[in-house]
Amino acid sequence: MNGVKNFFSCYGRYIFVFILVFLIYELFGYGFTYGDPIANYGFSYAIKNGQIPYLEFNIITTPLYAFIMSLGLHIFDNYLMFILEQSILVTIVFYLLYKMYGKKSYFVLLALVCFQFYGLLPTYNFCCFAMMIILLYLEKFHNEKNYLIGIFIGLCILSKHTVGAFFIFPTLIMYFKDWRRILKRVCGLLIPGIIFIVYLLINGAFWDFINLCFGGLLDFGSSNGKVFTFWFFLSLILLGIMIVLLIRDRKNILNWYLIFTFMLVVPLFDICHFALYFGCFVMMMIPYINFCKYENYFCNLSILFMIICCLVNLKMGISYKPVFMIDINRFNFTLNSKYSYEKNLKVDEFINEYDNPIILSYHKMFYDISNNKDLDYYDVLMYGNFGYGGLDCMINDIKDMKDRFILIDMTSYEKDGEHDQFAKEIADYVIDNCEKIDSKYGFDVYYKK
């Protein structure tokens, strides 16, 4: 009995976090069966099937997360495995946070949960956050391991290059007189970078990578959403506070890393990216939070708030009559509303009436994965996801097609939200230049002669 008691006293908190996070993904968080989580599962699914990122399907960031998450899919290629892997990753992150901050680490977890769970979205953004946590842990407890720290700076870059690249600056700022230390870290950084470049060159995807991950940046920010949103101004307020804290303790290298996490919200400034940035803000605040004898109280209160968030979302989810999508391949252990599930079955049957159609929809990847199809550049049909001048290239691709059916999801096409990213010009060309032959379940069917 003592052995069991000791086990749970040491590891019980991590078992709790794993179970809580898994239930959030599987039960409480309906947002995880749409959009970015499905896209990120799709990237891993494609890599597991031998497809080459950038060359055969469009992904606009460095692909470490997709490669990591593809490993489990070799055992069981199902969205459930993807969720299990992500739950393990979150638990590892919490383990390192607890080593650094003790019970105050529950504040960080609460920060990631409180914005409708968006801070836990299973995407490459969270992977970059996870690599940064490992980096902070090394800087705090193993600052002398310069090669290893350099490797994890490189892995941050390979998680999301537009954020990870800024993690080079803390080393340059703090150790600008210590060139030996800087050189060791640069050497460590180059190891994963060179491996990645060799992979791209061997597979003939290097220039496609440059085009999508750098050329596409010229289109991405200007095409997707509005900059001056509520989340933009809130992010600026948090950045201002973090700058003040940095000035007070600028010799703490951890603060320099955290200040650059502002890049997590650039350029979209929406709730999804803000939620993760808010977790970084809380991490920077933790050293200034001192509640001594009330520590257990606030820790338990944080756990209670997280459970309340789960129960509130569960109550909302029940109103949608959730069911498992048992007849949809690779998503048969995933909950969805009864209405959406039944519609998906009808749409799937309708799409399969046509021979190898082009599908213009936010949900094309869901269809391709469940029907064992390879991904292509139409799976992420959003502005800034085709490289420099890529929108014209996609339209020209359709112009060159002959004897093809093209299905337009009119719900995706007609959506007009603040952060809507659907590349409507591609659908406009089809509508204006192809023959409409059918319409059903929200899809208009066109024929390209």
Side-chain angles (χ1 to χ4, degrees), residues 56-318:
E56 296 180 286
F57 62 93
N58 54 333
I59 175 174
I60 61 170
T61 190
T62 36
L64 180 65
Y65 185 65
F67 274 96
I68 290 174
M69 302 298 274
S70 70
L71 299 176
L73 303 185
H74 287 279
I75 301 171
F76 182 46
D77 190 354
N78 192 285
Y79 189 64
L80 177 64
M81 175 58 77
F82 180 77
I83 291 305
L84 283 169
E85 290 179 292
Q86 173 68 12
S87 300
I88 292 171
L89 182 60
V90 175
T91 306
I92 292 171
V93 165
F94 180 77
Y95 170 81
L96 295 174
L97 287 171
Y98 198 87
K99 290 294 182 181
M100 289 191 288
Y101 304 120
K103 292 183 179 179
K104 294 178 183 178
S105 56
Y106 284 101
F107 286 164
V108 182
L109 187 60
L110 176 62
L112 299 176
V113 166
C114 66
F115 289 95
Q116 300 177 335
F117 310 127
Y118 282 122
L120 296 175
L121 272 178
T123 69
Y124 49 75
N125 289 300
F126 189 86
C127 181
C128 186
F129 176 79
M131 294 301 116
M132 182 199 69
I133 297 300
I134 298 173
L135 191 53
L136 297 185
Y137 177 83
L138 291 172
E139 289 282 18
K140 185 168 185 175
F141 297 114
H142 303 283
N143 182 257
E144 77 286 354
K145 296 185 182 296
N146 295 296
Y147 290 111
L148 187 59
I149 288 172
I151 287 172
F152 275 96
I153 293 174
L155 293 179
C156 286
I157 296 172
L158 292 186
S159 301
K160 188 174 183 180
H161 62 296
T162 55
V163 177
F166 287 88
F167 293 155
I168 299 172
F169 291 110
T171 291
L172 298 177
I173 292 168
M174 293 294 295
Y175 307 116
F176 67 95
K177 292 182 179 180
D178 190 349
W179 285 102
R180 288 186 178 181
R181 183 188 288 261
I182 291 175
L183 184 60
K184 288 178 181 179
R185 294 190 175 195
V186 169
C187 289
L189 182 156
L190 290 175
I191 293 172
I194 290 172
I195 292 172
F196 177 55
I197 291 173
V198 169
Y199 167 82
L200 293 174
L201 292 172
I202 290 174
N203 290 285
F206 180 78
W207 292 113
D208 296 284
F209 161 72
I210 297 296
N211 185 35
L212 285 169
C213 290
F214 296 97
L217 289 174
L218 300 175
D219 295 330
F220 189 84
S222 60
S223 301
N224 290 319
K226 301 175 182 178
V227 174
F228 300 108
T229 65
F230 167 78
W231 303 108
F232 169 78
F233 292 108
L234 190 54
S235 297
L236 284 185
I237 291 172
L238 297 191
L239 178 62
I241 297 172
M242 292 173 79
I243 290 173
V244 172
L245 296 178
L246 176 66
I247 293 171
R248 289 182 59 181
D249 191 11
R250 57 182 177 274
K251 292 184 179 180
N252 185 349
I253 194 170
L254 273 62
N255 286 345
W256 284 102
Y257 284 108
L258 291 170
I259 205 77
F260 286 113
T261 59
F262 180 76
M263 297 307 299
L264 284 167
V265 290
V266 178
L268 292 182
F269 295 101
D270 59 13
I271 186 173
C272 297
H273 296 81
F274 176 83
L276 205 52
Y277 177 54
F278 184 65
C280 299
F281 170 77
V282 171
M283 287 172 60
M284 198 164 182
M285 290 291 296
I286 280 179
Y288 304 94
I289 300 173
N290 185 14
F291 40 66
C292 298
K293 61 182 180 180
Y294 300 107
E295 187 172 275
N296 288 332
Y297 173 78
F298 283 105
C299 167
N300 293 332
L301 197 61
S302 296
I303 294 173
L304 178 62
F305 278 137
M306 284 188 278
I307 293 174
I308 290 173
C309 287
C310 292
L311 294 177
V312 169
N313 278 271
L314 178 62
K315 183 178 180 181
M316 292 172 58
I318 290 174

Side-chain angles (χ1 to χ4, degrees), residues 395-408:
I395 292 173
N396 289 333
D397 184 59
I398 291 179
K399 285 181 181 179
D400 294 337
M401 291 178 183
K402 293 183 180 180
D403 191 27
R404 293 292 297 272
F405 293 102
I406 303 172
L407 282 67
I408 300 177

